[in-house]
Amino acid sequence: MTSNTNPDLDTNQIDPNVASNLPPAHAITTTRHGTSYWDTTNTTRITLTLPDKTTKFYFLKTLKNDLGKNILCGEYASMQEIHRVVPDFAPRPITWGTYKNDSETHFFLCEYRDMILARDEMPDPGVFTGRLAALHQSQSRSPEGKFGFHVPTYSGYLPQYTGWEGSWEVFFSKSLRVAMDLEIKAKGYDAEFDVLVPVIFEKIVPKLLRPLESEGRSVKPALVHGDLWYGNSGTDRVSGECLVFDACCFYAHHEYEFGQWMPACNRFGEEYRAAYRGFVKPSPPEEDYPGRLDLYKLRFNTHVSALFTNDASLRKQMINDMKDLVSRYG
């Protein structure tokens, strides 16, 4: 990434509530680092020159107002959980909070990792999906074995459903309903919803998800990143480790993660899903695997359509997703 001086921060001083979480330094400089889809987000690299003349780097993200506070709280909790479960899969989160000198500015602070972003060079499929499988399967444990998360998390600037549920079918239904309500609020009602939406909730969701928890089968609540498009991943230039960031986690059926990988615009293509299946086989019944991924894709595409309010093509894409599911399973 190209960095330039950040006009929003004094290069010789940072807010005391940020500084109190950093080691003592002889010199501090700040530079703008990275980009965001959202104009309200500022991202900064902090460079510290320590008393022993070594250099340390940190990453700072700031947002404004109550919405920004809630977003950063969810991001910190998400990154903390990923780092706890698979420490080498995410930059170490340090803290989040509110500026002492500006009560409307909130921040998230973590270690800085110099990355080759997946936008420039995709990570190795085997290495990346091996880490992802560890996150999902062997090392994550949900409180009380339920689906959900202990704080609200936001994909973009919109909230996701994270209430605790004992059933994956129930959790997913509520999650999809929240996304649809946000999409309709953003773009208005469409007459086709009268036919499509009842079939999705009354037939498609039970048909594809209920068998996961029937006839002695069960679903392990797995920690998912929640927004794992390729733009939220990279490779550490020094260690070569695959990394993820900008998480909005909750505990879900692990295959839910791949709904984000199904749209053609996502560079995590079939080679990544195939590599993952080398670590974890599709959940039984395996014949429903393609349909489940397309149902999960509908959830992601619905939320994305709600985020980008002026893009009518995203509404069309969401409706086409529903029509496809109804034609195959309705």
Side-chain angles (χ1 to χ4, degrees):
M1 294 184 193
T2 301
S3 299
N4 57 281
T5 300
N6 183 349
D8 300 317
L9 288 175
D10 185 323
T11 57
N12 295 310
Q13 183 179 4
I14 57 177
D15 187 84
N17 285 351
V18 177
S20 65
N21 290 279
L22 301 174
H26 281 325
I28 301 175
T29 59
T30 61
T31 52
R32 185 180 296 280
H33 191 87
T35 59
S36 172
Y37 275 108
W38 319 115
D39 294 337
T40 56
T41 304
N42 284 312
T43 52
T44 302
R45 185 180 69 177
I46 300 173
T47 304
L48 301 185
T49 302
L50 303 180
D52 63 2
K53 304 298 177 63
T54 60
T55 304
K56 294 197 72 170
F57 301 97
Y58 298 85
F59 178 81
L60 178 71
K61 178 187 287 190
T62 61
L63 287 167
K64 295 282 189 178
N65 305 321
D66 286 344
L67 175 60
K69 181 178 182 179
N70 294 336
I71 290 171
L72 294 180
C73 173
E75 181 174 352
Y76 172 73
S78 297
M79 296 302 293
Q80 190 179 46
E81 196 76 348
I82 291 176
H83 189 266
R84 180 186 67 80
V85 174
V86 187
D88 294 336
F89 199 35
R92 180 176 64 89
I94 297 170
T95 192
W96 80 282
T98 300
Y99 273 13
K100 181 176 181 179
N101 295 334
D102 180 2
S103 62
E104 291 300 309
T105 297
H106 313 284
F107 68 91
F108 165 66
L109 180 69
C110 70
E111 69 173 347
Y112 171 81
R113 302 284 290 269
D114 187 16
M115 279 185 262
I116 303 170
L117 295 180
R119 298 175 186 180
D120 301 317
E121 182 181 322
M122 291 294 289
D124 178 86
V127 176
F128 184 84
T129 58
R131 289 286 175 84
L132 187 61
L135 178 71
H136 291 165
Q137 295 298 321
S138 61
Q139 300 177 42
S140 62
R141 293 289 182 272
S142 169
E144 301 181 13
K146 293 187 176 182
F147 304 95
F149 206 57
H150 59 283
V151 298
T153 59
Y154 287 69
S155 178
Y157 61 86
L158 293 175
Q160 308 181 110
Y161 180 72
T162 55
W164 292 112
E165 303 289 347
S167 161
W168 170 241
E169 179 188 343
V170 171
F171 179 92
F172 180 82
S173 295
K174 291 184 177 181
S175 176
L176 180 59
R177 181 70 72 181
V178 166
M180 285 190 172
D181 288 347
L182 290 170
E183 204 276 346
I184 291 168
K185 182 178 179 181
K187 291 182 173 169
Y189 199 78
D190 189 296
E192 290 192 270
F193 291 169
D194 289 334
V195 174
L196 295 171
V197 172
V199 179
I200 292 294
F201 283 98
E202 295 169 16
K203 293 187 177 181
I204 308 302
V205 171
K207 183 176 182 62
L208 290 173
L209 300 190
R210 192 165 297 170
L212 290 167
E213 301 173 296
S214 302
E215 300 178 12
R217 292 183 287 263
S218 63
V219 177
K220 172 190 180 293
L223 183 65
V224 296
H225 177 285
D227 189 20
L228 196 52
W229 69 296
Y230 67 90
N232 286 339
S233 67
T235 304
D236 188 289
R237 291 181 187 273
V238 177
S239 68
E241 294 169 343
C242 296
L243 298 168
V244 295
F245 49 91
D246 282 356
C248 50
C249 290
F250 50 88
Y251 283 87
H253 178 212
H254 69 276
E255 291 175 358
Y256 171 85
E257 197 92 90
F258 309 131
Q260 178 70 294
W261 294 10
M262 296 302 290
C265 63
N266 200 318
R267 296 179 191 171
F268 284 126
E270 170 55 25
E271 70 272 27
Y272 285 86
R273 295 192 296 275
Y276 185 94
R277 292 194 296 270
F279 297 99
V280 182
K281 300 300 181 186
S283 299
E286 293 189 15
E287 60 268 24
D288 291 342
Y289 173 74
R292 292 194 299 263
L293 296 197
D294 284 332
L295 178 60
Y296 299 157
K297 178 181 72 169
L298 169 63
R299 159 62 179 79
F300 281 98
N301 283 346
T302 301
H303 193 95
V304 168
S305 182
L307 282 170
F308 295 95
T309 56
N310 295 322
D311 190 339
S313 69
L314 296 173
R315 161 64 67 87
K316 183 177 180 180
Q317 177 178 266
M318 182 189 78
I319 289 177
N320 286 340
D321 286 345
M322 288 194 282
K323 287 180 175 179
D324 175 62
L325 286 164
V326 168
S327 68
R328 288 158 61 195
Y329 300 103

